[in-house]
Amino acid sequence: MRFRFTLPLSPDAPRLPTSAGAALNSMGHQAQLSDHRLTVGVAPNVDTLYSLAWLDLDAGDFYLETPDFGPRYYSFQICESDTRTAAVFGQRTEGAHAPAVHIRRAGGGERSAPGYTTVTCDSRYVMIVGRILVEPTVSDDTDLVRELQNQIILRGPACDSCTTEADSPDLVVLDRNAEIFDPTGFIKSLENVLKDMNLDDLPGDIRHAVELLGMHGTPVSLTEDETAAVSAGLRDGFNMIEHHVRSLGRVANGWAINDNGSEFGSDYLLRATVAHAQIFVNPSTEAIYPVCELDSEGEELDGRSNRYQLVFDRDNLPPADAFWSVTMYHKHGLLVDNALGRYAIGDRTTSIKHGGGSTVIRIQSSEPDEGPDNWLPAPPGPFRLMLRLYSPREGRWVPPAVTRL
């Protein structure tokens, strides 16, 4: 994912306005909300503009300063390479103005910096994820958010290590499916990750596997039988992850709800599933992300010939103090191209009509007979819904089931 955002072979190449990619050790900003053209990462939101930076902490320490956001929702999440959250700052925790932040790697750099809140990370490579809410009811609000983005300051070492990554073009251009299913591609990617880690930092069972394979610092060569075994293991592992999307955390009304957020502990299947379906989620105090692939009868959501609805009664709206939304994705996590240009419906959707205080969302691949106001366009095939509740209230809220019409 880091390579796809930083583009080591051409770090200054032009990017889509929906991309927040930038060279390593630099901050990139989305100029437009995410749409179906954005294919880097998985399950982007369409509520906020992203500001992203991948940092090499072995190059030195970094310093982040942000402007006054007033009452607008914003957050800045500092993510470890294994998708844990090292820290998050934002409207919920800090009010209008977040502290200046000093980011360092454990065992290196300054232990603290006067006037800064220090965040110490375990990983060599970390990502800053900034999210700033865009209000669709405010004319030209995207431009106002862009002005705030332009006031974000990131200071630190220049991208000298980009050259090192560019020296391995075969790894930089490696297809994502090759990383997942091809034994050679998988091992090559894993070796790249391990070279920046100490064996002692790995959990015991993973360290044992690495030592057994002789992977740390030594290229791995597999026999034909070993290659077949690794290939089968990769396929089995991927199938487990795909299946677990429907059951991560607690399951209610067809929704899988991860109440642990990015606090995975030793639950490696949960970590892998979240990375596959959501990746770099916030801590659950900042946001929760219920996922739905099944209707009220336990059947897979599929827009080929089915029509659905999702009804939020007025006394059971998503309990979020910042905002909530329901976003449509292809089953593999990309936004769905549609003539309406609508990728989500939420509490700030201006066109939606409410009946008796309830919010009824119509979900299908063709426009409903009653018109597009409450329509969330689906693809003509399997799909996944994701709810987002930012600044969620306490309690174990249960979303209503998606019902087939």
Side-chain angles (χ1 to χ4, degrees):
M1 185 173 176
R2 183 179 79 248
F3 291 163
R4 290 169 176 82
F5 274 105
T6 61
L7 301 180
L9 301 180
S10 52
D12 298 320
R15 292 165 168 85
L16 290 171
T18 54
S19 171
L24 189 67
N25 296 351
S26 303
M27 180 73 75
H29 304 290
Q30 272 190 323
Q32 297 177 12
L33 292 171
S34 302
D35 62 22
H36 64 278
R37 296 173 295 170
L38 184 61
T39 58
V40 177
V42 65
N45 82 58
V46 294
D47 306 289
T48 72
L49 286 184
Y50 287 103
S51 295
L52 301 179
W54 275 99
L55 310 179
D56 179 359
L57 296 187
D58 277 4
D61 294 5
F62 288 82
Y63 303 86
L64 175 69
E65 299 173 18
T66 57
D68 189 320
F69 290 94
R72 184 187 300 273
Y73 175 84
Y74 74 96
S75 65
F76 286 86
Q77 179 188 11
I78 301 170
C79 307
E80 300 274 8
S81 291
D82 64 2
T83 72
R84 286 176 296 134
T85 298
V88 62
F89 305 92
Q91 187 69 248
R92 180 185 62 85
T93 58
E94 314 296 337
H97 201 294
V101 179
H102 163 224
I103 306 169
R104 63 182 290 270
R105 189 177 187 187
E110 301 176 307
R111 289 189 175 273
S112 62
Y116 288 82
T117 296
T118 296
V119 176
T120 301
C121 300
D122 298 322
S123 310
R124 174 182 177 181
Y125 294 103
V126 302
M127 183 167 67
I128 300 173
V129 184
R131 300 172 175 92
I132 309 174
L133 186 65
V134 175
E135 289 288 353
T137 58
V138 178
S139 177
D140 300 325
D141 197 53
T142 298
D143 293 336
L144 297 177
V145 174
R146 293 285 289 125
E147 292 177 9
L148 290 168
Q149 289 177 318
N150 290 335
Q151 298 175 57
I152 299 170
I153 299 171
L154 177 66
R155 295 186 293 108
C159 179
D160 296 331
S161 57
C162 287
T163 304
T164 301
E165 295 182 339
D167 286 341
S168 304
D170 55 335
L171 184 62
V172 172
V173 301
L174 188 66
D175 182 76
R176 183 168 183 263
N177 281 334
E179 293 180 312
I180 297 172
F181 298 116
D182 176 60
T184 301
F186 172 78
I187 289 174
K188 185 179 297 183
S189 295
L190 185 57
E191 287 174 334
N192 184 64
V193 171
L194 290 173
K195 70 180 176 61
D196 295 319
M197 302 181 67
N198 295 318
L199 271 178
D200 291 341
D201 293 335
L202 296 174
D205 49 351
I206 295 179
R207 182 171 64 248
H208 176 70
V210 168
E211 291 172 337
L212 191 65
L213 289 169
M215 292 190 66
H216 201 255
T218 305
V220 174
S221 178
L222 300 178
T223 66
E224 185 175 336
D225 288 345
E226 289 170 337
T227 299
V230 171
S231 180
L234 291 174
R235 177 63 65 178
D236 289 346
F238 183 78
N239 289 340
M240 288 176 61
I241 291 168
E242 283 243 297
H243 180 76
H244 199 52
V245 170
R246 301 177 180 180
S247 58
L248 59 86
R250 58 188 169 98
V251 178
N253 290 338
W255 294 86
I257 308 163
N258 170 24
D259 292 310
N260 292 327
S262 54
E263 298 174 6
F264 306 112
S266 59
D267 191 339
Y268 306 127
L269 181 57
L270 175 62
R271 185 195 304 271
T273 303
V274 171
H276 171 67
Q278 300 169 311
I279 204 162
F280 292 117
V281 297
N282 273 292
S284 57
T285 51
E286 187 67 31
I288 58 173
Y289 310 82
V291 174
C292 185
E293 291 188 348
L294 303 174
D295 66 18
S296 59
E297 299 176 8
E299 298 295 325
E300 184 179 71
L301 298 176
D302 193 317
R304 270 181 289 237
S305 57
N306 298 320
R307 298 177 299 118
Y308 305 90
Q309 70 177 16
L310 176 62
V311 181
F312 294 108
D313 293 332
R314 60 181 172 182
D315 59 353
N316 193 39
L317 292 171
D321 288 329
F323 66 90
W324 66 266
S325 63
V326 184
T327 308
M328 171 68 67
Y329 298 99
H330 290 284
K331 188 178 178 180
H332 298 298
L334 298 179
L335 293 164
V336 176
D337 187 14
N338 65 91
L340 200 59
R342 176 182 290 168
Y343 306 98
I345 285 180
D347 56 359
R348 293 158 298 110
T349 302
T350 56
S351 68
I352 197 165
K353 295 178 180 178
H354 304 276
S358 297
T359 299
V360 180
I361 300 175
R362 294 294 301 273
I363 302 167
Q364 54 194 71
S365 59
S366 59
E367 182 176 324
D369 293 339
E370 58 268 32
D373 290 341
N374 293 37
W375 178 35
L376 181 57
F383 64 86
R384 174 187 301 154
L385 296 172
M386 186 184 298
L387 260 165
R388 284 180 169 84
L389 287 73
Y390 271 74
S391 298
R393 298 173 199 139
E394 292 185 5
R396 292 165 68 86
W397 177 72
V398 176
V402 177
T403 57
R404 191 163 66 247
L405 299 175

